[in-house]
């Protein structure tokens, strides 16, 4: 039982490069979320999805795009990476909404130089 | 602007004593509050939750109290154990969003 899997676990990007972070869940959950964790800032919501084919903006969406073409996958894209996007990124899923237990992946440590 | 705030970045408690972690919020529309625990190099894991229509929820050593008039909630851990040493995040849900606080690092020492 894999739960929530994030790929890759580590990545170093140069300023201006693009990349996609993949989140996959095998629990048939409807809701999926992307967060970033920065020192002193806690976890901040970037984008979220309430079901296949849907996406919505969170607290800090600028510079990121997302897609949920398949229910089990939620992709986070950085079109032109900036040093301010250096962070640890977490994906999470929950069965029916944010009031139910959310399951997190192990995180992706991204460094933009 | 941070809607969920944890004003104490760290807390140190002796094993066997009570740990009290606090959380304040500004949005009166939040309908559920949750606590998550995070160990280094791992994702957060769910601990306990409470509906906005209740004022207390208990699960073993963990109890969450909600004071809606003060827009304040707290997590009590009794008795504290060394394995409880982690970062604790308060979170609140509203219109499909799950918003987290800044976290409190709890250290339980022998």
């Amino acid at each position: 039982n894999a739960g929530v899997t994030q790929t890759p676990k580590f990545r170093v990007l140069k300023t201006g490069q693009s990349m996609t972070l993949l989140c996959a869940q095998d629990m048939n959950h409807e809701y999926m979320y992307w967060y970033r964790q920065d020192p002193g800032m806690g976890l901040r919501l970037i984008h979220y999805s309430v079901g296949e084919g849907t996406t919505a903006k969170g607290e800090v969406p600028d510079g990121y795009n997302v897609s949920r073409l398949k229910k089990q996958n939620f992709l986070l894209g950085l079109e032109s990476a900036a040093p301010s996007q250096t962070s640890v990124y977490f994906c999470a899923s929950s069965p029916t909404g944010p009031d139910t237990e959310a399951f997190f992946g192990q995180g992706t440590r991204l460094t933009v130089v | 602007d941070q809607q969920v705030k944890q004003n104490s970045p760290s807390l140190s408690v002796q094993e066997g004593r009570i740990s009290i972690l606090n959380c304040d919020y500004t949005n009166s529309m939040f309908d559920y509050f949750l606590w998550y625990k995070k160990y280094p190099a791992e994702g957060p894991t769910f601990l306990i939750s409470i509906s906005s229509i209740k004022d207390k929820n208990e699960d073993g050593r963990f109890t969450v109290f909600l004071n809606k008039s003060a827009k304040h909630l707290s997590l009590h851990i009794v008795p504290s154990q060394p394995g409880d040493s982690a970062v604790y995040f308060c979170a609140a849900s509203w219109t499909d969003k799950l918003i987290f606080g800044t976290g409190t690092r709890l250290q339980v020492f022998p």
Side-chain angles (χ1 to χ4, degrees), chain A residues 31 33 35 37 40-43 45 48 50 59 90 98-99 101-102 104-106, chain B residues 2 32 34 36 38 41-44 46 89 93 95-102:
Chain A
Y31 284 65
Y33 313 88
Y35 291 90
Q37 184 187 13
M41 303 296 290
L43 290 158
L45 181 64
Y48 63 100
V50 303
E59 300 171 278
F90 288 98
D99 55 337
E101 177 181 355
F104 282 78
Q106 290 204 311
Chain B
Q2 204 86 23
Y32 254 87
L34 308 93
Y36 285 80
K38 184 182 181 304
E42 296 183 8
F46 172 78
F89 289 100
S93 71
T95 60
D96 296 325
K97 299 185 189 71
L98 181 61
I99 305 298
F100 282 80
T102 49

Side-chain angles (χ1 to χ4, degrees), chain B residues 13-70:
Chain B
V13 172
Q14 189 172 29
E15 181 179 3
R17 307 292 290 260
I18 184 171
S19 295
I20 300 176
L21 295 93
N22 294 304
C23 177
D24 297 298
Y25 61 95
T26 57
N27 188 345
S28 58
M29 301 300 289
F30 286 139
D31 51 12
Y32 254 87
F33 300 90
L34 308 93
W35 285 92
Y36 285 80
K37 175 179 177 180
K38 184 182 181 304
Y39 292 118
E42 296 183 8
T45 55
F46 172 78
L47 199 54
I48 192 170
S49 66
I50 186 168
S51 164
S52 61
I53 62 172
K54 296 190 175 180
D55 53 22
K56 179 182 174 181
N57 188 27
E58 194 172 351
D59 183 2
R61 297 187 296 116
F62 303 93
T63 303
V64 57
F65 295 92
L66 176 62
N67 182 335
K68 279 186 295 183
S69 60

